[in-house]
Amino acid sequence: MNCQLLISPGELLILISVHSIRHLDSHPMWTPIIRDTALSHAIQAKLIDIFLATETFEGNDISLFYGRSGILLYKAYLSRLIEEPLFAEAGIRDLQLIYQNIHTTSGFNLSEGLAGITFTLKHLEQNAFFEVENTDELLGPELFRKVLARSSDLDYLNGTSGILFSLLQSYSKETCQEAGGLWLKGIRELKESSTAENIRRLFPGGKSSGTLLMPNTGLAYGQPSVLKVLTRLYEMTGDPEVESIAEPFMTFLLNSQNKGEEEFTFSHKLINGKHASGKITSCLGDLGCAMSIYTFGAVFKKPEITALAIELFRKHSNKRDVEKYGIQNPDFCNGSIGIAHFYARMFNNTGLEEFRETAEFWYKITLHKAFFEDGLAGYKHYNRTLGFHQNYGLLEGISGIGLSFISAISTIAPKWDSCLLMS
């Protein structure tokens, strides 16, 4: 175990009841989702269950989406929610373990590599959670320059888009301009090439020699994530070239919409010109596309684009049949908490009550999915390879569930969700 926590869940709840859940006035721009007192109390209890479960995490995986960095973010935000020192102390222990094991991480990407760890440490430092030392010496931007310069893989989770995004969230405008320049050079080189593979990388689904290749309109791997990173780069640097590159990405995404009155506006992929089934989960499908479109419209001051995104969110706000839409998991990537968090964000962006109600519905669903006796705080994640299994991670596990629950019941803005391209 991570530590010897000599306290039972019941004793911890009694201890915390002595302290108050913070509703911090220092975050006035975030409005809580949950208004039902009983539901709020149930979520508070689940937050403690999740904390105790994260304390059983073992191993040297210190990655953001699957390992200890995501767990550390959860404990950091929990320590800000509840005035109880043991949460911060547990987070500091995780921070020390990350430093001890950082040499074991060889990859550079956001999901499992050094870019994700950089995001975590810089986020903690910038938001004054813990004292973080020597971040630039260990994980300075020069570490990632060679990767940005030599790789043309724009994948967000595993490629250069995620690496650049980590730098955009972590460093100064000057540093971001240099790193962004390397990334944009890769995009320009892809645009100048006519090979089918390069067109697939640049515009997934683009036409080459009359053949329609397989695109991906998922936020995790596909074009919406590239558009989000371009938008963030423009927001940081104000470089007009970025806008000129982002515009055709936006046009291509809009042209990828299903025609007619179909249930889903975007398919998560096309195969030989045929639309695959749509989804409403965060990694794939309409909601990820809608968030990317919304951000583009807001940053580039295009209200007609923003309105289109809002209508897309409204289109799916009443899709609440868990079985019909295949919402088997409770997690962010393909589960209920991802849907809840999208609508929590959009409620705070727009003030539309239907978005708050939709978010509350999916938070309830997520709470009710904690029914496994041998799960982590009752939760398990399902995939075809492993079946139902325990998962501690931010993307597919309990750390991400806990982080979203915190913002559901408090005024603590979920700034961490930028790593999932939700803000």
Side-chain angles (χ1 to χ4, degrees):
M1 291 181 63
N2 187 21
C3 68
Q4 296 296 319
L5 191 69
L6 302 178
I7 189 169
S8 70
E11 291 171 328
L12 188 55
L13 279 172
I14 293 171
L15 175 64
I16 289 170
S17 69
V18 176
H19 302 282
S20 60
I21 297 292
R22 296 183 188 180
H23 294 281
L24 301 178
D25 293 333
S26 59
H27 298 280
M29 297 305 291
W30 184 261
T31 302
I33 298 301
I34 306 302
R35 296 175 182 172
D36 180 87
T37 302
L39 179 59
S40 180
H41 287 167
I43 289 175
Q44 290 174 34
K46 185 55 63 180
L47 289 172
I48 304 308
D49 291 342
I50 291 172
F51 168 75
L52 293 171
T54 60
E55 286 291 279
T56 68
F57 181 76
E58 297 178 336
N60 296 328
D61 186 345
I62 60 173
S63 67
L64 171 59
F65 285 161
Y66 304 108
R68 199 174 295 278
S69 287
I71 292 172
L72 172 56
L73 285 175
Y74 172 64
K75 292 175 182 176
Y77 274 83
L78 187 63
S79 73
R80 187 154 287 179
L81 175 73
I82 302 173
E83 297 182 87
E84 171 47 54
L86 70 87
F87 300 126
E89 292 166 2
I92 290 170
R93 286 192 294 271
D94 280 322
L95 181 60
Q96 292 168 343
L97 288 168
I98 287 171
Y99 279 121
Q100 290 172 18
N101 290 286
I102 204 165
H103 65 281
T104 67
T105 303
S106 57
F108 291 91
N109 65 34
L110 184 72
S111 63
E112 298 177 88
L114 294 171
I117 298 166
T118 298
F119 172 87
T120 302
L121 298 180
K122 280 294 188 179
H123 187 83
L124 295 174
E125 178 184 5
Q126 291 165 353
N127 293 281
F129 283 105
F130 306 124
E131 186 173 336
V132 179
E133 299 179 358
N134 301 321
T135 305
D136 291 349
E137 292 180 19
L138 285 169
L139 299 168
E142 64 279 355
L143 188 67
F144 302 99
R145 287 189 182 118
K146 289 184 179 179
V147 182
L148 290 171
R150 68 172 182 255
S151 176
S152 59
D153 182 0
L154 298 180
D155 184 293
Y156 180 72
L157 292 186
N158 303 303
T160 59
S161 295
I163 292 172
L164 177 62
F165 184 81
S166 175
L167 297 179
L168 292 174
Q169 296 298 104
S170 303
Y171 292 102
S172 66
K173 176 180 177 179
E174 290 72 21
T175 298
C176 293
Q177 283 179 316
E178 182 179 355
L182 293 172
W183 186 69
L184 292 173
K185 180 182 177 182
I187 290 180
R188 286 194 295 269
E189 290 173 353
L190 289 175
K191 289 177 69 175
E192 291 167 2
S193 171
S194 61
T195 66
E197 175 62 16
N198 282 351
I199 290 175
R200 183 194 67 78
R201 288 175 176 173
L202 182 60
F203 292 113
K207 289 186 178 180
S208 174
S209 301
T211 301
L212 193 62
L213 304 172
M214 180 187 295
N216 188 315
T217 56
L219 189 60
Y221 302 101
Q223 196 173 3
S225 61
V226 180
L227 184 60
K228 282 278 287 188
V229 177
L230 282 165
T231 304
R232 178 61 178 150
L233 181 59
Y234 177 82
E235 197 174 25
M236 279 288 294
T237 66
D239 184 350
E241 183 190 8
V242 178
E243 183 174 9
S244 69
I245 292 175
E247 286 280 2
F249 273 88
M250 185 75 247
T251 300
F252 187 90
L253 183 59
L254 293 177
N255 288 341
S256 298
Q257 296 178 81
N258 296 329
K259 306 301 180 184
E261 297 296 324
E262 297 192 34
E263 187 170 23
F264 294 96
T265 301
F266 294 93
S267 300
H268 67 280
K269 60 184 177 181
L270 292 171
I271 303 176
N272 294 325
K274 295 181 180 179
H275 290 278
S277 60
K279 293 179 179 290
I280 57 172
T281 51
S282 65
C283 281
L284 303 169
D286 278 16
L287 298 187
C289 292
M291 186 60 81
S292 185
I293 294 168
Y294 179 87
T295 306
F296 178 92
V299 170
F300 291 108
K301 296 179 172 44
K302 297 180 181 293
E304 71 283 1
I305 297 293
T306 303
L308 176 66
I310 291 172
E311 285 307 306
L312 190 51
F313 277 108
R314 297 186 76 170
K315 174 179 178 178
H316 297 301
S317 63
N318 63 350
K319 286 185 171 61
R320 302 183 184 186
D321 189 324
V322 178
E323 298 299 325
K324 178 180 178 180
Y325 297 108
I327 312 302
Q328 187 173 24
N329 284 318
D331 55 72
F332 259 100
C333 190
N334 289 301
S336 54
I337 202 76
I339 302 172
H341 200 84
F342 264 127
Y343 279 99
R345 264 288 168 195
M346 287 306 296
F347 167 65
N348 273 273
N349 288 341
T350 65
L352 291 174
E353 176 63 15
E354 68 182 281
F355 290 167
R356 189 202 66 79
E357 292 174 353
T358 303
E360 184 176 63
F361 170 84
W362 288 106
Y363 279 125
K364 288 179 182 178
I365 293 297
T366 305
L367 193 62
H368 293 156
K369 285 183 176 291
F371 53 74
F372 291 96
E373 291 185 4
D374 59 341
L376 296 172
Y379 290 112
K380 283 189 174 184
H381 172 78
Y382 177 84
N383 64 33
R384 293 178 181 177
T385 303
L386 300 175
F388 284 103
H389 62 283
Q390 295 181 347
N391 194 307
Y392 291 87
L394 191 157
L395 186 64
E396 297 178 336
I398 59 172
S399 297
I401 294 170
L403 279 163
S404 189
F405 272 156
I406 289 171
S407 58
I409 64 170
S410 75
T411 57
I412 299 175
K415 296 180 181 180
W416 55 269
D417 68 359
S418 62
C419 71
L420 295 174
L421 301 178
M422 289 189 167
S423 58

